[in-house]
Amino acid sequence: PRMILSERRARGPVTLDIARIETTEEAPAPAPPTPSFVPGDPVKGLTSDDFRVRLNAADRLRLAPKADAAEAIALVVNDLVPEVGLAAVGALEAAKAIPQLEKTVKSGLNDRVRAAAGLALSRLRADKATLLALQPLFANRAWRTRLAAAEAAARVPGPEAGVFRMSLIGQEDPRIKLRVTELADPTVDFEARKLLYSVVNEPWDEVRYASAVRLLGSRNETFVEEALK
């Protein structure tokens, strides 16, 4: 209810009794968090609960490789954070840890990590053993992983690598077809014949055109004439 103007009472100035004010001590500052690993020891950092620490540790081991840390690094390739696993693959490559990379290609839990391991393996060792190790990637469900398999196999010399690569030219995904076509060696009869088939039968214009351009490098004059049609 509203107060009638005549009923209002005049109030004096407000005074403050300093003596009655109670003082309290300030709360203590929180203690700084305990570091999850000793600074300068990236191997211990790989076991941190913080994914950022694990990522940083793996990257440091890539820049400053430690061959004796390969087993510890291999435990991180299947990290739930894919970026940590990719950094671990880079660290394994830097440490030239071929056995651990082969194992990752075969049984890695993440397709991106498996593909990265295959590419790393081919950079370290381009031979028949690497080609055999890459086999699981050619049948992987992810098109990027199959594409990485073709890229990795392209570093391996010899006709067997061409058989593996050209097995992907019949894929439905035009992105894989196009890259496999670009990687084909037209001087090898088997690969040139695959390119010729693509020139005649490939439904994707870009892939068919790339096959014709690539086939111009063939030693078979009949194939070259077909490419020029």
Side-chain angles (χ1 to χ4, degrees), residues 71-121:
E71 291 297 332
I73 299 170
L75 296 176
V76 190
V77 294
N78 289 327
D79 197 282
L80 294 179
V81 180
E83 285 70 19
V84 176
L86 292 171
V89 169
L92 288 176
E93 181 180 359
K96 299 181 179 180
I98 289 177
Q100 287 77 12
L101 287 172
E102 288 181 327
K103 184 177 180 180
T104 302
V105 171
K106 181 179 180 181
S107 57
L109 298 182
N110 184 288
D111 288 336
R112 291 172 60 193
V113 168
R114 295 177 68 185
L119 290 168
L121 185 60

Side-chain angles (χ1 to χ4, degrees), residues 158-214:
E160 291 183 343
V163 172
F164 274 88
R165 288 197 316 274
M166 301 308 288
S167 68
L168 296 176
I169 203 169
Q171 296 276 312
E172 294 183 1
D173 195 312
R175 292 167 293 190
I176 296 179
K177 289 183 177 183
L178 180 59
R179 187 57 183 145
V180 170
T181 298
E182 294 170 344
L183 293 171
D185 184 355
T187 63
V188 177
D189 185 72
F190 170 77
E191 298 185 48
R193 291 184 182 277
K194 287 287 188 180
L195 290 173
L196 179 61
Y197 181 87
S198 181
V199 167
V200 177
N201 300 286
E202 174 56 47
W204 293 92
D205 292 341
E206 188 174 0
V207 177
R208 189 168 63 252
Y209 174 78
S211 299
V213 171
R214 197 68 179 156

